[in-house]
PDB file of all heavy atoms in Angstrom:
ATOM      1  N   ARG A  17      14.590 -21.035  -4.938  1.00 94.00           N
ATOM      2  CA  ARG A  17      14.616 -22.126  -3.989  1.00 94.00           C
ATOM      3  C   ARG A  17      16.044 -22.488  -3.552  1.00 94.00           C
ATOM      4  O   ARG A  17      16.320 -22.866  -2.419  1.00 94.00           O
ATOM      5  CB  ARG A  17      13.974 -23.353  -4.637  1.00 94.00           C
ATOM      6  CG  ARG A  17      13.598 -24.430  -3.678  1.00 94.00           C
ATOM      7  CD  ARG A  17      12.822 -25.470  -4.430  1.00 94.00           C
ATOM      8  NE  ARG A  17      12.912 -26.726  -3.733  1.00 94.00           N
ATOM      9  CZ  ARG A  17      12.738 -27.893  -4.256  1.00 94.00           C
ATOM     10  NH1 ARG A  17      12.350 -28.003  -5.556  1.00 94.00           N
ATOM     11  NH2 ARG A  17      12.840 -28.984  -3.526  1.00 94.00           N
ATOM     12  N   ALA A  18      16.997 -22.370  -4.477  1.00 93.00           N
ATOM     13  CA  ALA A  18      18.388 -22.681  -4.239  1.00 93.00           C
ATOM     14  C   ALA A  18      19.076 -21.645  -3.352  1.00 93.00           C
ATOM     15  O   ALA A  18      20.114 -21.978  -2.745  1.00 93.00           O
ATOM     16  CB  ALA A  18      19.144 -22.882  -5.545  1.00 93.00           C
ATOM     17  N   GLU A  19      18.578 -20.453  -3.320  1.00 92.00           N
ATOM     18  CA  GLU A  19      19.183 -19.417  -2.522  1.00 92.00           C
ATOM     19  C   GLU A  19      18.168 -18.717  -1.652  1.00 92.00           C
ATOM     20  O   GLU A  19      17.814 -17.544  -1.927  1.00 92.00           O
ATOM     21  CB  GLU A  19      19.848 -18.334  -3.396  1.00 92.00           C
ATOM     22  CG  GLU A  19      20.671 -18.838  -4.566  1.00 92.00           C
ATOM     23  CD  GLU A  19      20.864 -17.712  -5.561  1.00 92.00           C
ATOM     24  OE1 GLU A  19      21.172 -16.586  -5.164  1.00 92.00           O
ATOM     25  OE2 GLU A  19      20.720 -18.028  -6.758  1.00 92.00           O
ATOM     26  N   PRO A  20      17.645 -19.375  -0.633  1.00 83.00           N
ATOM     27  CA  PRO A  20      16.631 -18.735   0.234  1.00 83.00           C
ATOM     28  C   PRO A  20      17.140 -17.439   0.845  1.00 83.00           C
ATOM     29  O   PRO A  20      16.306 -16.595   1.217  1.00 83.00           O
ATOM     30  CB  PRO A  20      16.328 -19.802   1.315  1.00 83.00           C
ATOM     31  CG  PRO A  20      17.393 -20.851   1.171  1.00 83.00           C
ATOM     32  CD  PRO A  20      18.023 -20.739  -0.158  1.00 83.00           C
ATOM     33  N   GLY A  21      18.451 -17.228   0.953  1.00 90.00           N
ATOM     34  CA  GLY A  21      18.944 -16.020   1.570  1.00 90.00           C
ATOM     35  C   GLY A  21      18.706 -14.743   0.723  1.00 90.00           C
ATOM     36  O   GLY A  21      18.761 -13.673   1.218  1.00 90.00           O
ATOM     37  N   SER A  22      18.457 -14.940  -0.543  1.00 92.00           N
ATOM     38  CA  SER A  22      18.312 -13.728  -1.408  1.00 92.00           C
ATOM     39  C   SER A  22      16.820 -13.422  -1.595  1.00 92.00           C
ATOM     40  O   SER A  22      16.355 -13.187  -2.701  1.00 92.00           O
ATOM     41  CB  SER A  22      18.901 -14.035  -2.807  1.00 92.00           C
ATOM     42  OG  SER A  22      18.206 -15.089  -3.450  1.00 92.00           O
ATOM     43  N   LYS A  23      16.126 -13.417  -0.457  1.00 95.00           N
ATOM     44  CA  LYS A  23      14.688 -13.186  -0.456  1.00 95.00           C
ATOM     45  C   LYS A  23      14.352 -11.733  -0.780  1.00 95.00           C
ATOM     46  O   LYS A  23      15.013 -10.789  -0.358  1.00 95.00           O
ATOM     47  CB  LYS A  23      14.161 -13.557   0.903  1.00 95.00           C
ATOM     48  CG  LYS A  23      12.656 -13.495   1.033  1.00 95.00           C
ATOM     49  CD  LYS A  23      12.213 -13.892   2.421  1.00 95.00           C
ATOM     50  CE  LYS A  23      12.337 -15.414   2.647  1.00 95.00           C
ATOM     51  NZ  LYS A  23      11.755 -15.810   3.942  1.00 95.00           N
ATOM     52  N   ARG A  24      13.331 -11.542  -1.634  1.00 95.00           N
ATOM     53  CA  ARG A  24      12.820 -10.193  -1.891  1.00 95.00           C
ATOM     54  C   ARG A  24      11.427 -10.045  -1.313  1.00 95.00           C
ATOM     55  O   ARG A  24      10.675 -11.052  -1.321  1.00 95.00           O
ATOM     56  CB  ARG A  24      12.765  -9.940  -3.409  1.00 95.00           C
ATOM     57  CG  ARG A  24      14.207  -9.864  -3.985  1.00 95.00           C
ATOM     58  CD  ARG A  24      14.122  -9.387  -5.443  1.00 95.00           C
ATOM     59  NE  ARG A  24      14.532 -10.481  -6.330  1.00 95.00           N
ATOM     60  CZ  ARG A  24      14.529 -10.360  -7.667  1.00 95.00           C
ATOM     61  NH1 ARG A  24      14.117  -9.272  -8.264  1.00 95.00           N
ATOM     62  NH2 ARG A  24      14.932 -11.373  -8.458  1.00 95.00           N
ATOM     63  N   THR A  25      11.101  -8.895  -0.808  1.00 96.00           N
ATOM     64  CA  THR A  25       9.828  -8.654  -0.132  1.00 96.00           C
ATOM     65  C   THR A  25       9.139  -7.466  -0.807  1.00 96.00           C
ATOM     66  O   THR A  25       9.809  -6.443  -1.133  1.00 96.00           O
ATOM     67  CB  THR A  25      10.030  -8.400   1.336  1.00 96.00           C
ATOM     68  OG1 THR A  25      10.854  -9.441   1.866  1.00 96.00           O
ATOM     69  CG2 THR A  25       8.726  -8.353   2.091  1.00 96.00           C
ATOM     70  N   GLN A  26       7.830  -7.565  -0.943  1.00 95.00           N
ATOM     71  CA  GLN A  26       7.046  -6.437  -1.410  1.00 95.00           C
ATOM     72  C   GLN A  26       5.815  -6.303  -0.551  1.00 95.00           C
ATOM     73  O   GLN A  26       5.257  -7.314  -0.107  1.00 95.00           O
ATOM     74  CB  GLN A  26       6.638  -6.686  -2.866  1.00 95.00           C
ATOM     75  CG  GLN A  26       7.569  -6.128  -3.889  1.00 95.00           C
ATOM     76  CD  GLN A  26       7.069  -6.416  -5.330  1.00 95.00           C
ATOM     77  OE1 GLN A  26       7.401  -7.454  -5.862  1.00 95.00           O
ATOM     78  NE2 GLN A  26       6.330  -5.550  -5.873  1.00 95.00           N
ATOM     79  N   GLN A  27       5.416  -5.082  -0.292  1.00 96.00           N
ATOM     80  CA  GLN A  27       4.155  -4.854   0.388  1.00 96.00           C
ATOM     81  C   GLN A  27       3.053  -4.397  -0.622  1.00 96.00           C
ATOM     82  O   GLN A  27       3.374  -3.564  -1.471  1.00 96.00           O
ATOM     83  CB  GLN A  27       4.319  -3.827   1.496  1.00 96.00           C
ATOM     84  CG  GLN A  27       4.921  -4.434   2.716  1.00 96.00           C
ATOM     85  CD  GLN A  27       4.769  -3.573   3.940  1.00 96.00           C
ATOM     86  OE1 GLN A  27       4.072  -2.538   3.884  1.00 96.00           O
ATOM     87  NE2 GLN A  27       5.282  -4.013   5.060  1.00 96.00           N
ATOM     88  N   LEU A  28       1.861  -4.983  -0.471  1.00 96.00           N
ATOM     89  CA  LEU A  28       0.810  -4.601  -1.408  1.00 96.00           C
ATOM     90  C   LEU A  28      -0.431  -4.242  -0.566  1.00 96.00           C
ATOM     91  O   LEU A  28      -0.680  -4.844   0.469  1.00 96.00           O
ATOM     92  CB  LEU A  28       0.431  -5.846  -2.203  1.00 96.00           C
ATOM     93  CG  LEU A  28       1.585  -6.532  -2.952  1.00 96.00           C
ATOM     94  CD1 LEU A  28       1.139  -7.860  -3.497  1.00 96.00           C
ATOM     95  CD2 LEU A  28       2.053  -5.609  -4.095  1.00 96.00           C
ATOM     96  N   SER A  29      -1.152  -3.269  -1.057  1.00 95.00           N
ATOM     97  CA  SER A  29      -2.354  -2.899  -0.333  1.00 95.00           C
ATOM     98  C   SER A  29      -3.402  -4.029  -0.396  1.00 95.00           C
ATOM     99  O   SER A  29      -3.336  -4.896  -1.274  1.00 95.00           O
ATOM    100  CB  SER A  29      -2.936  -1.572  -0.911  1.00 95.00           C
ATOM    101  OG  SER A  29      -3.312  -1.814  -2.268  1.00 95.00           O
ATOM    102  N   GLY A  30      -4.339  -4.010   0.550  1.00 95.00           N
ATOM    103  CA  GLY A  30      -5.288  -5.105   0.709  1.00 95.00           C
ATOM    104  C   GLY A  30      -6.251  -5.301  -0.483  1.00 95.00           C
ATOM    105  O   GLY A  30      -6.900  -6.371  -0.521  1.00 95.00           O
ATOM    106  N   ASP A  31      -6.305  -4.335  -1.407  1.00 94.00           N
ATOM    107  CA  ASP A  31      -7.251  -4.544  -2.550  1.00 94.00           C
ATOM    108  C   ASP A  31      -6.595  -5.273  -3.681  1.00 94.00           C
ATOM    109  O   ASP A  31      -7.235  -5.486  -4.749  1.00 94.00           O
ATOM    110  CB  ASP A  31      -7.877  -3.176  -2.965  1.00 94.00           C
ATOM    111  CG  ASP A  31      -6.762  -2.145  -3.234  1.00 94.00           C
ATOM    112  OD1 ASP A  31      -5.611  -2.417  -3.048  1.00 94.00           O
ATOM    113  OD2 ASP A  31      -7.196  -1.046  -3.665  1.00 94.00           O
ATOM    114  N   HIS A  32      -5.311  -5.640  -3.624  1.00 95.00           N
ATOM    115  CA  HIS A  32      -4.663  -6.397  -4.706  1.00 95.00           C
ATOM    116  C   HIS A  32      -5.138  -7.826  -4.702  1.00 95.00           C
ATOM    117  O   HIS A  32      -5.310  -8.440  -3.672  1.00 95.00           O
ATOM    118  CB  HIS A  32      -3.155  -6.410  -4.505  1.00 95.00           C
ATOM    119  CG  HIS A  32      -2.446  -5.211  -4.994  1.00 95.00           C
ATOM    120  ND1 HIS A  32      -2.512  -3.974  -4.384  1.00 95.00           N
ATOM    121  CD2 HIS A  32      -1.673  -4.992  -6.077  1.00 95.00           C
ATOM    122  CE1 HIS A  32      -1.761  -3.096  -5.050  1.00 95.00           C
ATOM    123  NE2 HIS A  32      -1.284  -3.713  -6.078  1.00 95.00           N
ATOM    124  N   THR A  33      -5.327  -8.363  -5.914  1.00 96.00           N
ATOM    125  CA  THR A  33      -5.524  -9.796  -6.040  1.00 96.00           C
ATOM    126  C   THR A  33      -4.608 -10.383  -7.148  1.00 96.00           C
ATOM    127  O   THR A  33      -4.737 -11.520  -7.542  1.00 96.00           O
ATOM    128  CB  THR A  33      -6.950 -10.137  -6.449  1.00 96.00           C
ATOM    129  OG1 THR A  33      -7.317  -9.381  -7.631  1.00 96.00           O
ATOM    130  CG2 THR A  33      -7.956  -9.795  -5.325  1.00 96.00           C
ATOM    131  N   SER A  34      -3.693  -9.567  -7.671  1.00 96.00           N
ATOM    132  CA  SER A  34      -2.746 -10.169  -8.623  1.00 96.00           C
ATOM    133  C   SER A  34      -1.524  -9.175  -8.709  1.00 96.00           C
ATOM    134  O   SER A  34      -1.605  -8.019  -8.343  1.00 96.00           O
ATOM    135  CB  SER A  34      -3.345 -10.340 -10.014  1.00 96.00           C
ATOM    136  OG  SER A  34      -3.226  -9.223 -10.783  1.00 96.00           O
ATOM    137  N   LEU A  35      -0.388  -9.795  -9.211  1.00 96.00           N
ATOM    138  CA  LEU A  35       0.804  -9.036  -9.311  1.00 96.00           C
ATOM    139  C   LEU A  35       1.729  -9.758 -10.285  1.00 96.00           C
ATOM    140  O   LEU A  35       1.793 -11.005 -10.276  1.00 96.00           O
ATOM    141  CB  LEU A  35       1.495  -8.983  -7.950  1.00 96.00           C
ATOM    142  CG  LEU A  35       2.891  -8.289  -7.906  1.00 96.00           C
ATOM    143  CD1 LEU A  35       2.694  -6.741  -8.065  1.00 96.00           C
ATOM    144  CD2 LEU A  35       3.632  -8.597  -6.678  1.00 96.00           C
ATOM    145  N   VAL A  36       2.416  -9.002 -11.109  1.00 95.00           N
ATOM    146  CA  VAL A  36       3.483  -9.644 -11.975  1.00 95.00           C
ATOM    147  C   VAL A  36       4.828  -9.462 -11.343  1.00 95.00           C
ATOM    148  O   VAL A  36       5.196  -8.328 -10.995  1.00 95.00           O
ATOM    149  CB  VAL A  36       3.429  -8.992 -13.390  1.00 95.00           C
ATOM    150  CG1 VAL A  36       4.576  -9.587 -14.224  1.00 95.00           C
ATOM    151  CG2 VAL A  36       2.146  -9.270 -14.082  1.00 95.00           C
ATOM    152  N   LEU A  37       5.547 -10.556 -11.168  1.00 95.00           N
ATOM    153  CA  LEU A  37       6.922 -10.501 -10.687  1.00 95.00           C
ATOM    154  C   LEU A  37       7.805 -10.600 -11.930  1.00 95.00           C
ATOM    155  O   LEU A  37       7.640 -11.533 -12.745  1.00 95.00           O
ATOM    156  CB  LEU A  37       7.216 -11.654  -9.731  1.00 95.00           C
ATOM    157  CG  LEU A  37       6.555 -11.656  -8.429  1.00 95.00           C
ATOM    158  CD1 LEU A  37       7.004 -12.845  -7.575  1.00 95.00           C
ATOM    159  CD2 LEU A  37       6.808 -10.336  -7.673  1.00 95.00           C
ATOM    160  N   SER A  38       8.765  -9.660 -12.115  1.00 92.00           N
ATOM    161  CA  SER A  38       9.635  -9.729 -13.245  1.00 92.00           C
ATOM    162  C   SER A  38      11.064  -9.636 -12.850  1.00 92.00           C
ATOM    163  O   SER A  38      11.426  -9.675 -11.674  1.00 92.00           O
ATOM    164  CB  SER A  38       9.269  -8.628 -14.224  1.00 92.00           C
ATOM    165  OG  SER A  38       9.274  -7.380 -13.523  1.00 92.00           O
ATOM    166  N   ASP A  39      11.992  -9.537 -13.868  1.00 89.00           N
ATOM    167  CA  ASP A  39      13.423  -9.587 -13.592  1.00 89.00           C
ATOM    168  C   ASP A  39      13.851 -10.830 -12.851  1.00 89.00           C
ATOM    169  O   ASP A  39      14.699 -10.817 -11.985  1.00 89.00           O
ATOM    170  CB  ASP A  39      13.865  -8.357 -12.764  1.00 89.00           C
ATOM    171  CG  ASP A  39      13.618  -7.088 -13.524  1.00 89.00           C
ATOM    172  OD1 ASP A  39      13.672  -7.099 -14.761  1.00 89.00           O
ATOM    173  OD2 ASP A  39      13.292  -6.067 -12.853  1.00 89.00           O
ATOM    174  N   LEU A  40      13.280 -11.938 -13.218  1.00 91.00           N
ATOM    175  CA  LEU A  40      13.618 -13.228 -12.593  1.00 91.00           C
ATOM    176  C   LEU A  40      14.690 -13.933 -13.432  1.00 91.00           C
ATOM    177  O   LEU A  40      14.852 -13.649 -14.601  1.00 91.00           O
ATOM    178  CB  LEU A  40      12.365 -14.072 -12.429  1.00 91.00           C
ATOM    179  CG  LEU A  40      11.241 -13.384 -11.684  1.00 91.00           C
ATOM    180  CD1 LEU A  40      10.013 -14.295 -11.675  1.00 91.00           C
ATOM    181  CD2 LEU A  40      11.615 -13.026 -10.299  1.00 91.00           C
ATOM    182  N   ALA A  41      15.313 -14.937 -12.806  1.00 89.00           N
ATOM    183  CA  ALA A  41      16.335 -15.763 -13.547  1.00 89.00           C
ATOM    184  C   ALA A  41      15.578 -16.834 -14.316  1.00 89.00           C
ATOM    185  O   ALA A  41      14.600 -17.411 -13.835  1.00 89.00           O
ATOM    186  CB  ALA A  41      17.286 -16.325 -12.541  1.00 89.00           C
ATOM    187  N   PRO A  42      16.078 -17.213 -15.517  1.00 88.00           N
ATOM    188  CA  PRO A  42      15.436 -18.265 -16.256  1.00 88.00           C
ATOM    189  C   PRO A  42      15.718 -19.657 -15.608  1.00 88.00           C
ATOM    190  O   PRO A  42      16.683 -19.797 -14.875  1.00 88.00           O
ATOM    191  CB  PRO A  42      16.081 -18.218 -17.641  1.00 88.00           C
ATOM    192  CG  PRO A  42      17.390 -17.448 -17.432  1.00 88.00           C
ATOM    193  CD  PRO A  42      17.219 -16.567 -16.267  1.00 88.00           C
ATOM    194  N   GLU A  43      14.830 -20.592 -15.888  1.00 88.00           N
ATOM    195  CA  GLU A  43      14.958 -21.975 -15.447  1.00 88.00           C
ATOM    196  C   GLU A  43      15.281 -22.064 -13.954  1.00 88.00           C
ATOM    197  O   GLU A  43      16.197 -22.748 -13.526  1.00 88.00           O
ATOM    198  CB  GLU A  43      16.068 -22.688 -16.231  1.00 88.00           C
ATOM    199  CG  GLU A  43      15.526 -23.345 -17.465  1.00 88.00           C
ATOM    200  CD  GLU A  43      16.614 -24.258 -18.136  1.00 88.00           C
ATOM    201  OE1 GLU A  43      17.621 -23.672 -18.584  1.00 88.00           O
ATOM    202  OE2 GLU A  43      16.413 -25.492 -18.191  1.00 88.00           O
ATOM    203  N   THR A  44      14.580 -21.241 -13.151  1.00 93.00           N
ATOM    204  CA  THR A  44      14.784 -21.206 -11.742  1.00 93.00           C
ATOM    205  C   THR A  44      13.495 -21.405 -10.970  1.00 93.00           C
ATOM    206  O   THR A  44      12.435 -20.921 -11.421  1.00 93.00           O
ATOM    207  CB  THR A  44      15.382 -19.828 -11.339  1.00 93.00           C
ATOM    208  OG1 THR A  44      16.582 -19.601 -12.077  1.00 93.00           O
ATOM    209  CG2 THR A  44      15.668 -19.721  -9.856  1.00 93.00           C
ATOM    210  N   THR A  45      13.513 -22.217  -9.938  1.00 96.00           N
ATOM    211  CA  THR A  45      12.334 -22.419  -9.145  1.00 96.00           C
ATOM    212  C   THR A  45      12.289 -21.420  -7.981  1.00 96.00           C
ATOM    213  O   THR A  45      13.245 -21.310  -7.260  1.00 96.00           O
ATOM    214  CB  THR A  45      12.315 -23.872  -8.555  1.00 96.00           C
ATOM    215  OG1 THR A  45      12.347 -24.796  -9.665  1.00 96.00           O
ATOM    216  CG2 THR A  45      11.074 -24.099  -7.741  1.00 96.00           C
ATOM    217  N   TYR A  46      11.207 -20.720  -7.927  1.00 97.00           N
ATOM    218  CA  TYR A  46      11.029 -19.677  -6.916  1.00 97.00           C
ATOM    219  C   TYR A  46       9.994 -20.159  -5.835  1.00 97.00           C
ATOM    220  O   TYR A  46       8.987 -20.731  -6.218  1.00 97.00           O
ATOM    221  CB  TYR A  46      10.520 -18.382  -7.500  1.00 97.00           C
ATOM    222  CG  TYR A  46      11.593 -17.600  -8.196  1.00 97.00           C
ATOM    223  CD1 TYR A  46      11.868 -17.848  -9.505  1.00 97.00           C
ATOM    224  CD2 TYR A  46      12.310 -16.632  -7.505  1.00 97.00           C
ATOM    225  CE1 TYR A  46      12.904 -17.155 -10.151  1.00 97.00           C
ATOM    226  CE2 TYR A  46      13.357 -15.917  -8.133  1.00 97.00           C
ATOM    227  CZ  TYR A  46      13.657 -16.217  -9.474  1.00 97.00           C
ATOM    228  OH  TYR A  46      14.681 -15.521 -10.092  1.00 97.00           O
ATOM    229  N   GLU A  47      10.312 -19.952  -4.577  1.00 96.00           N
ATOM    230  CA  GLU A  47       9.369 -20.151  -3.495  1.00 96.00           C
ATOM    231  C   GLU A  47       8.708 -18.811  -3.257  1.00 96.00           C
ATOM    232  O   GLU A  47       9.381 -17.778  -3.074  1.00 96.00           O
ATOM    233  CB  GLU A  47      10.124 -20.546  -2.231  1.00 96.00           C
ATOM    234  CG  GLU A  47      10.898 -21.843  -2.337  1.00 96.00           C
ATOM    235  CD  GLU A  47      10.044 -23.091  -2.151  1.00 96.00           C
ATOM    236  OE1 GLU A  47       8.811 -22.928  -1.964  1.00 96.00           O
ATOM    237  OE2 GLU A  47      10.577 -24.189  -2.223  1.00 96.00           O
ATOM    238  N   VAL A  48       7.391 -18.811  -3.258  1.00 97.00           N
ATOM    239  CA  VAL A  48       6.665 -17.559  -3.115  1.00 97.00           C
ATOM    240  C   VAL A  48       5.678 -17.711  -1.932  1.00 97.00           C
ATOM    241  O   VAL A  48       5.005 -18.714  -1.818  1.00 97.00           O
ATOM    242  CB  VAL A  48       5.815 -17.222  -4.387  1.00 97.00           C
ATOM    243  CG1 VAL A  48       5.083 -15.912  -4.250  1.00 97.00           C
ATOM    244  CG2 VAL A  48       6.682 -17.248  -5.645  1.00 97.00           C
ATOM    245  N   ALA A  49       5.684 -16.702  -1.056  1.00 97.00           N
ATOM    246  CA  ALA A  49       4.787 -16.694   0.070  1.00 97.00           C
ATOM    247  C   ALA A  49       4.026 -15.354   0.113  1.00 97.00           C
ATOM    248  O   ALA A  49       4.630 -14.292  -0.002  1.00 97.00           O
ATOM    249  CB  ALA A  49       5.514 -16.889   1.385  1.00 97.00           C
ATOM    250  N   LEU A  50       2.718 -15.453   0.193  1.00 97.00           N
ATOM    251  CA  LEU A  50       1.871 -14.276   0.303  1.00 97.00           C
ATOM    252  C   LEU A  50       1.310 -14.269   1.729  1.00 97.00           C
ATOM    253  O   LEU A  50       0.604 -15.217   2.121  1.00 97.00           O
ATOM    254  CB  LEU A  50       0.757 -14.311  -0.750  1.00 97.00           C
ATOM    255  CG  LEU A  50      -0.219 -13.118  -0.751  1.00 97.00           C
ATOM    256  CD1 LEU A  50       0.457 -11.903  -1.364  1.00 97.00           C
ATOM    257  CD2 LEU A  50      -1.538 -13.441  -1.457  1.00 97.00           C
ATOM    258  N   ILE A  51       1.636 -13.248   2.469  1.00 96.00           N
ATOM    259  CA  ILE A  51       1.258 -13.206   3.895  1.00 96.00           C
ATOM    260  C   ILE A  51       0.171 -12.135   4.094  1.00 96.00           C
ATOM    261  O   ILE A  51       0.497 -10.931   3.954  1.00 96.00           O
ATOM    262  CB  ILE A  51       2.454 -12.984   4.811  1.00 96.00           C
ATOM    263  CG1 ILE A  51       3.482 -14.097   4.576  1.00 96.00           C
ATOM    264  CG2 ILE A  51       2.062 -12.949   6.264  1.00 96.00           C
ATOM    265  CD1 ILE A  51       4.934 -13.627   4.662  1.00 96.00           C
ATOM    266  N   PRO A  52      -1.097 -12.511   4.272  1.00 96.00           N
ATOM    267  CA  PRO A  52      -2.151 -11.495   4.497  1.00 96.00           C
ATOM    268  C   PRO A  52      -1.955 -10.944   5.927  1.00 96.00           C
ATOM    269  O   PRO A  52      -1.967 -11.698   6.901  1.00 96.00           O
ATOM    270  CB  PRO A  52      -3.450 -12.286   4.388  1.00 96.00           C
ATOM    271  CG  PRO A  52      -3.075 -13.601   3.761  1.00 96.00           C
ATOM    272  CD  PRO A  52      -1.641 -13.873   4.186  1.00 96.00           C
ATOM    273  N   GLU A  53      -1.698  -9.647   6.001  1.00 95.00           N
ATOM    274  CA  GLU A  53      -1.533  -8.975   7.359  1.00 95.00           C
ATOM    275  C   GLU A  53      -2.879  -8.285   7.643  1.00 95.00           C
ATOM    276  O   GLU A  53      -3.034  -7.115   7.326  1.00 95.00           O
ATOM    277  CB  GLU A  53      -0.394  -7.948   7.276  1.00 95.00           C
ATOM    278  CG  GLU A  53       0.924  -8.528   6.744  1.00 95.00           C
ATOM    279  CD  GLU A  53       1.732  -9.257   7.790  1.00 95.00           C
ATOM    280  OE1 GLU A  53       1.264  -9.370   8.910  1.00 95.00           O
ATOM    281  OE2 GLU A  53       2.838  -9.708   7.478  1.00 95.00           O
ATOM    282  N   SER A  54      -3.764  -9.056   8.260  1.00 94.00           N
ATOM    283  CA  SER A  54      -5.105  -8.516   8.472  1.00 94.00           C
ATOM    284  C   SER A  54      -5.242  -8.040   9.916  1.00 94.00           C
ATOM    285  O   SER A  54      -4.711  -8.600  10.838  1.00 94.00           O
ATOM    286  CB  SER A  54      -6.132  -9.631   8.275  1.00 94.00           C
ATOM    287  OG  SER A  54      -7.376  -9.236   8.690  1.00 94.00           O
ATOM    288  N   ASN A  55      -5.954  -6.876  10.052  1.00 89.00           N
ATOM    289  CA  ASN A  55      -6.222  -6.402  11.380  1.00 89.00           C
ATOM    290  C   ASN A  55      -7.599  -6.943  11.903  1.00 89.00           C
ATOM    291  O   ASN A  55      -8.108  -6.440  12.893  1.00 89.00           O
ATOM    292  CB  ASN A  55      -6.127  -4.880  11.469  1.00 89.00           C
ATOM    293  CG  ASN A  55      -6.922  -4.218  10.405  1.00 89.00           C
ATOM    294  OD1 ASN A  55      -7.921  -4.733   9.904  1.00 89.00           O
ATOM    295  ND2 ASN A  55      -6.446  -3.016   9.944  1.00 89.00           N
ATOM    296  N   VAL A  56      -8.231  -7.837  11.173  1.00 89.00           N
ATOM    297  CA  VAL A  56      -9.511  -8.369  11.525  1.00 89.00           C
ATOM    298  C   VAL A  56      -9.442  -9.888  11.817  1.00 89.00           C
ATOM    299  O   VAL A  56      -9.786 -10.381  12.888  1.00 89.00           O
ATOM    300  CB  VAL A  56     -10.549  -8.117  10.396  1.00 89.00           C
ATOM    301  CG1 VAL A  56     -11.933  -8.630  10.849  1.00 89.00           C
ATOM    302  CG2 VAL A  56     -10.607  -6.633  10.045  1.00 89.00           C
ATOM    303  N   HIS A  57      -8.966 -10.657  10.810  1.00 89.00           N
ATOM    304  CA  HIS A  57      -8.917 -12.102  11.019  1.00 89.00           C
ATOM    305  C   HIS A  57      -7.464 -12.523  10.786  1.00 89.00           C
ATOM    306  O   HIS A  57      -6.646 -11.817  10.208  1.00 89.00           O
ATOM    307  CB  HIS A  57      -9.664 -12.820   9.847  1.00 89.00           C
ATOM    308  CG  HIS A  57     -11.104 -12.471   9.815  1.00 89.00           C
ATOM    309  ND1 HIS A  57     -12.010 -12.918  10.739  1.00 89.00           N
ATOM    310  CD2 HIS A  57     -11.839 -11.697   8.939  1.00 89.00           C
ATOM    311  CE1 HIS A  57     -13.210 -12.470  10.461  1.00 89.00           C
ATOM    312  NE2 HIS A  57     -13.155 -11.696   9.369  1.00 89.00           N
ATOM    313  N   TYR A  58      -7.173 -13.724  11.275  1.00 92.00           N
ATOM    314  CA  TYR A  58      -5.860 -14.372  10.958  1.00 92.00           C
ATOM    315  C   TYR A  58      -6.058 -15.186   9.684  1.00 92.00           C
ATOM    316  O   TYR A  58      -6.967 -15.985   9.542  1.00 92.00           O
ATOM    317  CB  TYR A  58      -5.393 -15.298  12.068  1.00 92.00           C
ATOM    318  CG  TYR A  58      -4.215 -16.108  11.621  1.00 92.00           C
ATOM    319  CD1 TYR A  58      -2.956 -15.532  11.454  1.00 92.00           C
ATOM    320  CD2 TYR A  58      -4.357 -17.456  11.277  1.00 92.00           C
ATOM    321  CE1 TYR A  58      -1.867 -16.244  10.995  1.00 92.00           C
ATOM    322  CE2 TYR A  58      -3.256 -18.188  10.886  1.00 92.00           C
ATOM    323  CZ  TYR A  58      -2.039 -17.566  10.711  1.00 92.00           C
ATOM    324  OH  TYR A  58      -0.949 -18.303  10.253  1.00 92.00           O
ATOM    325  N   PHE A  59      -5.187 -14.897   8.658  1.00 92.00           N
ATOM    326  CA  PHE A  59      -5.157 -15.718   7.477  1.00 92.00           C
ATOM    327  C   PHE A  59      -3.793 -16.430   7.409  1.00 92.00           C
ATOM    328  O   PHE A  59      -2.781 -15.763   7.617  1.00 92.00           O
ATOM    329  CB  PHE A  59      -5.317 -14.873   6.211  1.00 92.00           C
ATOM    330  CG  PHE A  59      -6.681 -14.267   6.085  1.00 92.00           C
ATOM    331  CD1 PHE A  59      -6.834 -12.908   6.319  1.00 92.00           C
ATOM    332  CD2 PHE A  59      -7.761 -15.009   5.662  1.00 92.00           C
ATOM    333  CE1 PHE A  59      -8.078 -12.323   6.153  1.00 92.00           C
ATOM    334  CE2 PHE A  59      -9.024 -14.422   5.499  1.00 92.00           C
ATOM    335  CZ  PHE A  59      -9.174 -13.095   5.780  1.00 92.00           C
TER     336      PHE A  59
END
């Protein structure tokens, strides 16, 4: 949250419903956004 410029992005196939994020800094608040890129509906 303190450094929005250091954003990391991952692409996941549509059948994912979970993921572990690792190598994070301790005692740090992360802003996380999951963007569904659907070719059928807008989510």
Side-chain angles (χ1 to χ4, degrees):
R17 195 173 157 199
E19 313 163 45
S22 63
K23 186 179 285 184
R24 291 189 246 177
T25 308
Q26 267 177 273
Q27 280 198 1
L28 307 167
S29 64
D31 52 357
H32 277 73
T33 55
S34 88
L35 177 74
V36 174
L37 292 183
S38 54
D39 298 327
L40 305 176
E43 271 188 295
T44 302
T45 300
Y46 284 87
E47 299 279 1
V48 182
L50 182 74
I51 302 144
E53 308 278 3
S54 169
N55 50 28
V56 183
H57 300 286
Y58 169 72
F59 292 106

